[in-house]
Amino acid sequence: MVSPSRVVALLAHHLGIDSDLSSASREEHKLANTFAYLLKEAALDALFFDENDDMMPLEEQDYEDIDPEWSENDLDLVNDLPPADGKRFLFSNGAATLESVRYSLHDVDLQVMAMEINRNRNYLANFDASQSWVTRFKQKSRFGSRRTTKFVSKKAHVDDARIKKEAEDFVSGIKREMATRPLNTFCNADQSGFLKELHSKRSLAPIGQKTVIRTVQSVASLQHSYTVMPLVYADGSMGDFLFVVLQEPKGQFPKTKQIFNAQNLVVTAGTSHIMTKEHMKQWVSKCIFTPSTPSNELVILLDSRTSFRDKAAIDSSLPPGMTLHTRQIPAGTTGICQPLDVFFFRPFKGLFHVC
């Protein structure tokens, strides 16, 4: 059992004590609160120690013995010059510099870079960029191996500044237009795929257990989706109907089975769960203008899918006397400026996990 007071005493022994608590900064208070929380968790035996080789501290006596060629005149992998402040092996802008590196980077890449720089600059004799050197470099640079959370194409990365500019211009234009019309005449619609059976990818299990198995109704349902298409208004209200596309082998519901029907759903079928132009026409005719629609003239924000750009097909599907002005969200910017993508779908899918 961990004794928090004993740990604090050990820290005081190693670091000393400053009794002037009134001069503690906000960051120092936050750091102290974090340590206090960890110690309390450890006292309750609720703290799991995950020993990662990359993060294990090196004893001071090992620091020099592992790499005898270590010197103050070391390498800067970004600027190719020794850091002016005396800090060893630091990336120039820390996290900002690493954020700009959009290709996979591993320990062996650091070793190759370090050896090439050392060879070109003749910094150190017999320098071999050992694994212990890589470990120290990562510790002092404050970065380590992380799971990639998003993949983007090279074209999207190169066009990042242009995409952001197009998103800002689009939002500015819509805001100017919204100043001339009521908010409940502006709406946004987009489709999103939902797995037929949703389950959390995490579950409580004994610590150290390598394989965690959970039962589901159908394994296939974890890999097949259906599409939903909601409609939201700028005043915060939602459209009367949720459009749903289900995948059926022949593109139509079996005549021998009764399909569940709800007053706020418009459900159709297709050979795929992806919406086609015919599905889009059906959605336009049934889900946009309803008895509770606040106006017979709406402005709708749509992404750049081919069917949404077909203004003639959209107009031909509208109920008589209704007008729909489409505003195309620039390609590649929906994750930045489309309301449904920015604020709606994440909590919406979260409700399905809870239910």
Side-chain angles (χ1 to χ4, degrees):
M1 184 67 70
V2 174
S3 169
S5 57
R6 189 178 297 117
V7 174
V8 172
L10 289 171
L11 288 173
H13 174 72
H14 286 294
L15 304 176
I17 298 178
D18 184 355
S19 58
D20 185 14
L21 301 182
S22 60
S23 61
S25 66
R26 180 180 179 183
E27 292 299 318
E28 288 171 335
H29 277 290
K30 290 169 63 177
L31 186 60
N33 290 337
T34 300
F35 276 113
Y37 171 79
L38 292 175
L39 290 174
K40 291 176 181 177
E41 290 290 298
L44 297 173
D45 201 24
L47 193 64
F48 174 64
F49 294 89
D50 185 9
E51 296 185 356
N52 186 325
D53 292 338
D54 287 349
M55 301 303 295
M56 288 294 290
L58 295 173
E59 297 295 336
E60 195 66 34
Q61 61 269 22
D62 296 335
Y63 198 78
E64 300 294 338
D65 295 340
I66 292 177
D67 197 348
E69 296 87 23
W70 188 266
S71 75
E72 293 294 330
N73 189 27
D74 285 323
L75 314 176
D76 180 355
L77 297 187
V78 174
N79 290 331
D80 198 14
L81 291 172
D85 58 4
K87 294 181 179 180
R88 294 176 286 190
F89 298 92
L90 286 180
F91 277 92
S92 294
N93 298 320
T97 300
L98 277 181
E99 176 63 23
S100 66
V101 178
R102 293 297 179 91
Y103 51 85
S104 296
L105 192 65
H106 305 285
D107 287 5
V108 66
D109 299 308
L110 295 180
Q111 291 174 310
V112 171
M113 293 165 62
M115 293 180 68
E116 182 177 352
I117 294 173
N118 183 71
R119 183 167 53 251
N120 294 336
R121 295 287 181 167
N122 296 319
Y123 284 143
L124 302 171
N126 302 321
F127 176 75
D128 60 358
S130 64
Q131 186 59 48
S132 61
W133 175 87
V134 172
T135 299
R136 290 199 300 273
F137 176 83
K138 292 193 295 184
Q139 287 176 336
K140 285 194 170 290
S141 301
R142 296 183 61 81
F143 71 93
S145 180
R146 299 295 300 273
R147 175 178 173 269
T148 301
T149 57
K150 184 179 181 181
F151 289 95
V152 297
S153 66
K154 184 177 181 181
K155 183 179 184 299
H157 174 46
V158 172
D159 294 344
D160 190 52
R162 177 187 60 80
I163 290 173
K164 289 182 179 179
K165 178 65 165 57
E166 289 181 354
E168 291 172 357
D169 292 344
F170 177 77
V171 171
S172 299
I174 293 298
K175 285 184 176 180
R176 287 193 298 270
E177 191 172 0
M178 290 174 71
T180 65
R181 297 171 179 261
L183 289 180
N184 61 3
T185 61
F186 288 85
C187 56
N188 174 224
D190 188 30
Q191 51 184 310
S192 181
F194 281 67
L195 289 174
K196 291 183 178 179
E197 191 170 350
L198 291 175
H199 283 275
S200 173
K201 294 183 179 180
R202 305 188 68 87
S203 176
L204 292 176
I207 293 174
Q209 182 173 330
K210 299 298 183 183
T211 303
V212 179
I213 300 175
R214 295 293 182 263
T215 58
V216 295
Q217 292 182 356
S218 170
V219 175
S221 65
L222 299 177
Q223 301 172 344
H224 293 81
S225 304
Y226 60 93
T227 294
V228 302
M229 191 162 182
L231 183 73
V232 296
Y233 290 90
D235 65 353
S237 60
M238 293 193 64
D240 291 337
F241 297 107
L242 178 68
F243 191 72
V244 182
V245 179
L246 300 178
Q247 182 181 7
E248 292 292 336
K250 297 182 179 180
Q252 57 186 7
F253 294 121
K255 298 179 180 180
T256 57
K257 292 184 179 180
Q258 184 178 0
I259 305 301
F260 173 77
N261 187 26
Q263 293 181 349
N264 60 345
L265 295 180
V266 174
V267 184
T268 187
T271 55
S272 166
H273 71 90
I274 303 299
M275 285 182 62
T276 64
K277 182 173 290 190
E278 292 304 315
H279 290 139
M280 184 272 293
K281 291 181 178 180
Q282 187 178 355
W283 167 73
V284 170
S285 64
K286 294 183 178 181
C287 297
I288 299 180
F289 289 99
T290 64
S292 63
T293 301
S295 173
N296 61 359
E297 184 177 359
L298 297 177
V299 177
I300 188 167
L301 278 58
L302 298 171
D303 61 29
S304 298
R305 298 176 190 272
T306 304
S307 57
F308 290 157
R309 295 201 304 268
D310 191 340
K311 189 69 167 61
I314 293 176
D315 290 343
S316 66
S317 305
L318 290 172
M322 302 299 173
T323 303
L324 187 65
H325 303 284
T326 58
R327 300 291 181 264
Q328 234 70 53
I329 301 173
T333 67
T334 55
I336 305 174
C337 61
Q338 176 156 251
L340 283 168
D341 282 343
V342 173
F343 85 95
F344 184 83
F345 281 130
R346 185 183 181 93
F348 187 41
K349 291 185 177 183
L351 290 175
F352 280 76
H353 283 282
V354 174
C355 295

